[in-house]
């Protein structure tokens, strides 16, 4: 295998570390489908993902290199953002203070563009992750 | 000292530590992402707070609305002018106290029908979900559907029930409430009870009080 091929395979493997843990969100999606709340699922999980990608890129900006544990952060923050809905299924209403769960109630108004904006931000940030975190390059003087 | 074959020797020098420069493009990307997310979150919080409207007052004309109905098409309040109307707001057809209340409305239906009272149940569920509940609970009155989406909950907002002013911590769905409207289209009663259902007697007394001459209490 050429060096370029090796590097590409390494990037794919590293990207799989990022995306892999979020497979655990699939049963959560099934739960939301049951309650007819699919837009809510994508709204809050994308919020968690976007915030996680920002944090990972900030880590890269300050020199922290890629880690196989990168993928845990999007999963954990997605679950954090979804938490008020898990509580709601059990009975208690949302409260205003649940905005600490990554603006859960603010975004629950489901702004017409919210999911689209979050998806676009996610796409750009994943490209940024590929560019700045996976290849491990840093400008050096 | 390092010996070279030609005999020249040099002093080994400690290489200077390399200074790492933060990629400017990454910095720009992060700033853009933070601005976008901050704008979205701020918009959400502001929109959510603007969705809180005052509870409809007794004696005021009942705000009209037209919403998708489980009976098919859209149903409007204006189409019922000339008949007393009972609006039954519930957060969702899925909450257990909401289903209890719907059963109580169904139980009170014969007496309400005798008084020629029309009933609309309203929630922020999809029509298909409401139809499933109508079937499973055997409801004989229509459900109207709104959405927890900005600008798509006209009835809940108009009646001040999308966010109840009675409780500062009500979530982003309709609050349990009964609104009784007389045949002239005037609100005669508005009873709000978050997270609790109205029993059959309370439903009948709300409607009766609203239909009494000069009646209406809040």
């Amino acid at each position: 295998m050429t060096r370029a091929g090796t590097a590409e395979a390494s990037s794919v493997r590293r990207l799989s570390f990022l995306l892999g843990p979020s497979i655990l969100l699939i049963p959560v999606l099934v739960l939301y489908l049951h309650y007819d709340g699919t837009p809510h699922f994508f709204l809050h999980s994308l919020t968690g993902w976007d915030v996680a990608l920002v944090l990972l890129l900030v880590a890269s900006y300050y020199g922290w290199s890629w880690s196989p544990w990168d993928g845990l952060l999007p999963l954990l923050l997605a679950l954090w953002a979804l938490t008020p809905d898990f509580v709601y299924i059990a009975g208690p209403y949302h409260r205003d203070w649940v905005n600490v769960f990554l603006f859960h109630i603010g975004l629950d108004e489901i702004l017409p563009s919210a999911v689209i904006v979050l998806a676009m931000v996610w796409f750009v940030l994943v490209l940024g992750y590929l560019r700045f975190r996976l290849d491990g390059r840093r400008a050096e003087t | 000292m390092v010996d070279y074959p030609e005999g020249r020797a040099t002093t080994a020098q400690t290489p200077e530590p390399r200074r790492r420069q933060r990629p400017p493009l990454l910095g720009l990307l992060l700033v853009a992402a933070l601005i976008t997310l901050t704008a979205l979150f701020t918009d959400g919080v502001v929109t959510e707070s603007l969705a809180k409207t005052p509870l409809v007052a007794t004696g005021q004309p009942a705000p009209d609305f037209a919403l998708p109905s489980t009976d098919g098409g859209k149903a409007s309040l204006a189409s019922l002018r000339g008949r007393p109307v009972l609006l039954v707001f519930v957060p969702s057809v899925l909450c257990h106290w909401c289903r209890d209340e719907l059963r109580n409305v169904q139980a009170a239906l014969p007496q309400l029908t005798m008084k020629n009272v029309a009933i609309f149940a309203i929630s922020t569920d999809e029509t298909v979900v409401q139809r499933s509940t109508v079937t499973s609970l055997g409801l004989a009155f229509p459900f109207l559907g709104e959405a927890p989406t900005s600008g798509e909950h006209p009835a809940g907002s108009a009646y001040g029930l999308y966010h109840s002013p009675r409780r500062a911590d009500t979530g982003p769905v309709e609050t349990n409430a009964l609104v009784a409207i007389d045949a002239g289209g005037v609100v005669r009663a508005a009873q709000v009870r978050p997270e609790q259902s109205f029993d059959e007697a309370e439903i009948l007394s709300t409607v009766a009080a609203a239909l009494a001459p000069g009646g209406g209490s809040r």
Side-chain angles (χ1 to χ4, degrees):
Chain A
M1 184 182 282
T2 63
R3 289 183 66 181
T6 304
E8 201 172 295
S10 175
S11 292
V12 169
R13 189 174 67 91
R14 291 184 174 193
L15 189 60
S16 69
F17 276 110
L18 176 71
L19 301 174
S22 289
I23 287 176
L24 294 174
L25 292 175
I26 292 177
V28 179
L29 173 59
V30 171
L31 182 68
Y32 274 75
L33 284 167
H34 172 73
Y35 284 100
D36 199 38
T38 309
H40 285 269
F41 170 82
F42 286 107
L43 183 76
H44 300 303
S45 56
L46 280 172
T47 303
W49 256 94
D50 287 350
V51 172
L53 285 170
V54 167
L55 291 174
L56 289 171
L57 288 172
V58 167
S60 285
Y61 188 75
Y62 285 100
W64 291 13
S65 57
W66 174 85
S67 163
W69 300 104
D70 275 6
L72 280 184
L73 190 61
L75 171 66
L76 291 175
L77 287 182
L79 290 173
W80 176 257
L82 292 165
T83 296
D85 287 345
F86 303 144
V87 175
Y88 184 79
I89 290 171
Y93 267 167
H94 290 349
R95 302 288 186 260
D96 281 346
W97 62 264
V98 304
N99 271 328
V100 297
F101 293 94
L102 298 181
F103 297 92
H104 185 100
I105 201 170
L107 294 179
D108 246 355
E109 177 69 11
I110 308 188
L111 307 174
S113 57
V115 176
I116 297 170
V117 169
L118 288 167
M120 287 169 58
V121 170
W122 178 87
F123 182 73
V124 171
L125 289 176
V126 167
L127 290 179
Y129 183 90
L130 290 168
R131 166 67 178 80
F132 294 106
R133 191 158 174 82
L134 278 193
D135 66 8
R137 278 184 288 167
R138 299 190 204 94
E140 298 179 347
T141 59
Chain B
M1 299 285 286
V2 176
D3 289 329
Y4 284 90
E6 294 78 13
R8 290 184 290 117
T10 64
T11 303
Q13 295 179 334
T14 305
E16 288 185 11
R18 292 182 162 190
R19 292 167 53 193
R20 292 173 177 168
Q21 184 179 16
R22 295 173 185 147
L25 192 59
L26 174 55
L28 284 174
L29 174 65
L30 285 171
V31 169
L34 284 170
I35 289 173
T36 305
L37 290 176
T38 302
L40 186 65
F41 295 158
T42 304
D43 191 13
V45 171
V46 170
T47 304
E48 182 83 346
S49 62
L50 290 177
K52 298 182 181 183
T53 50
L55 183 65
V56 66
T58 53
Q60 80 172 68
D64 193 17
F65 52 80
L67 295 170
S69 169
T70 49
D71 283 351
K74 282 193 172 184
S76 70
L77 184 64
S79 65
L80 298 174
R81 184 59 61 88
R83 292 177 66 184
V85 178
L86 176 65
L87 302 180
V88 181
F89 286 88
V90 293
S92 168
V93 296
L94 300 177
C95 69
H96 65 86
W97 67 85
C98 306
R99 296 170 79 85
D100 287 343
E101 181 165 319
L102 295 171
R103 290 190 191 95
N104 294 338
V105 173
Q106 180 63 29
L109 192 59
Q111 297 191 54
L112 294 173
T113 304
M114 279 175 51
K115 295 180 171 69
N116 195 32
V117 176
I119 300 171
F120 278 154
I122 301 173
S123 75
T124 52
D125 298 297
E126 296 283 340
T127 304
V128 62
V129 177
Q130 293 174 333
R131 281 206 181 102
S132 171
T133 298
V134 167
T135 302
S136 64
L137 296 184
L139 304 179
F141 51 88
F143 240 107
L144 308 186
E146 304 200 286
T149 309
S150 177
E152 295 193 30
H153 36 78
S157 296
Y159 287 81
L161 297 166
Y162 187 72
H163 284 275
S164 169
R166 299 279 180 96
R167 284 168 60 111
D169 56 358
T170 300
V173 291
E174 321 283 37
T175 301
N176 288 91
L178 297 176
V179 178
I181 303 167
D182 67 18
V186 176
V187 175
R188 290 300 186 184
Q191 304 286 347
V192 179
R193 189 179 294 175
E195 299 185 40
Q196 295 179 57
S197 62
F198 292 91
D199 62 27
E200 184 181 345
E202 289 167 326
I203 294 167
L204 291 171
S205 67
T206 299
V207 175
L211 296 181
S217 60
R218 190 167 161 170

